[in-house]
């Protein structure tokens, strides 16, 4: 997934505390910008919001940028507040692949139709891993085990309907398996999930590569495949596709704007984000955190979101999570 180019130093927009945005004189920065991170502090949405806050301010693309955390229901509580805010314009909101599934599974009364897709920012490709002492040495071993006895494979991931769950569903579908027979375990994230797979409580685990890199490098985990379209530089993990399994998935993160923007207002914000992702500072932060540059500007990102929603809804329906 992947995304303007303003004249340097000429960006201008004001974000009012009232209910609308308007363009400021060309010498001004974005003022009093609020970025909603629809999750707790420390997660992917929060990290992207705070990276945006830092870079926008450091490069004088915006001033007085505040990050507000509104966790719950896979991001849909934050989305609801973003969409329904009346007294003030909430500015921007971080979103991502996980929110598409959360909207469907939680039957959210609000949807991404009510916001303006502003830019896709980054993504993380996901490996599926086993403990180093697992008898499963290759992806083919895992496929054979599942086909012989679907219940013998426990698939550990963050939450029901999460990108982890979606990746496993795509894999089982691609090998001709029955997704309804998947033994999916919501094993948490990060260290919690790693402890489960290392302790033999789950067969396989997945998540962002960066979460698992140290354990893989230390030889405690073995990666069977990764969900990128081709091998990633410096990462010696075969893709699903090169092993004959037609699976590709990126856990993308993005930024959304209010749904009531004028074209001129959207353009100023689009330009500001485009300038932000081109800075060396943003590139450094992304590299440090293992984020892959998947930038798409607003118009291309809007088309991408539409296609992605159709694809994810299909997978979740097959998994029996969406009726």
């Amino acid at each position: 997934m992947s995304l303007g180019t303003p004249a340097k130093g000429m960006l201008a927009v004001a974000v009012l505390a009232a209910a609308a945005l308007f363009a400021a004189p060309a010498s001004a920065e974005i003022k009093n910008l609020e970025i909603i991170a629809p999750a707790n502090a420390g997660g992917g949405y929060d990290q992207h919001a705070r990276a945006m806050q830092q870079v926008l301010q450091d490069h004088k693309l915006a001033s007085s940028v505040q990050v507000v955390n509104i966790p719950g229901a896979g991001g849909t509580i934050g989305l609801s507040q973003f969409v329904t805010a009346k007294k003030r314009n909430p500015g921007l909101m971080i979103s991502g692949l996980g929110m598409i599934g959360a909207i469907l599974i939680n039957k959210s009364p609000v949807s991404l139709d009510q916001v303006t897709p502003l830019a896709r920012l980054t993504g993380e490709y996901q490996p599926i891993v086993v403990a180093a002492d697992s008898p499963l040495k290759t992806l083919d071993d895992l496929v054979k085990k599942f086909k012989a006895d679907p219940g013998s494979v426990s698939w550990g991931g963050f939450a029901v309907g999460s990108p982890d769950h979606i990746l496993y569903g795509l894999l089982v579908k691609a090998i001709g398996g029955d997704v309804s027979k998947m033994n999916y375990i919501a094993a948490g994230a990060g260290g919690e999930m790693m402890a489960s797979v290392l302790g033999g409580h789950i067969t396989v685990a997945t998540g962002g590569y960066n979460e698992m890199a140290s354990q893989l490098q230390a030889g405690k985990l073995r990666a069977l495949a990764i969900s990128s379209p081709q091998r990633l530089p410096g990462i010696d993990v075969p893709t699903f596709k090169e092993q004959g399994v037609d699976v590709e998935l990126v856990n993308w993160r993005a930024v959304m704007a209010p749904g009531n923007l004028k074209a001129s207002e959207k353009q100023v914000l689009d330009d500001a984000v485009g300038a932000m992702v081109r800075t060396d500072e943003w590139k450094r932060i992304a590299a440090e955190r293992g984020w892959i540059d998947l930038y798409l500007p607003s118009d291309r990102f809007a088309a991408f979101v539409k296609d992605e929603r159709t694809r994810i809804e299909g997978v979740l329906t097959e998994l029996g999570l969406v009726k």
Side-chain angles (χ1 to χ4, degrees), residues 182-220:
M182 282 175 53
N183 178 21
Y184 183 76
I185 307 295
E192 187 179 5
M193 192 192 307
M194 292 306 98
S196 293
V197 72
L198 289 170
H201 306 299
I202 55 177
T203 309
V204 296
T206 190
Y209 178 83
N210 205 44
E211 294 177 51
M212 305 175 178
S214 61
Q215 302 273 33
L216 287 166
Q217 291 162 6
K220 295 181 179 180

Side-chain angles (χ1 to χ4, degrees), residues 82-126:
F82 185 70
V83 167
T84 61
K86 303 287 187 190
K87 295 181 180 179
R88 57 181 170 75
N89 194 303
L92 301 175
M93 182 191 71
I94 304 299
S95 183
L97 173 62
M99 187 175 284
I100 291 180
I103 289 169
L104 294 166
I105 291 170
N106 293 309
K107 295 180 169 58
S108 172
V110 296
S111 74
L112 295 180
D113 288 332
Q114 294 164 274
V115 302
T116 299
L118 187 61
R120 191 178 66 186
L121 299 173
T122 69
E124 291 180 278
Y125 293 108
Q126 300 196 191

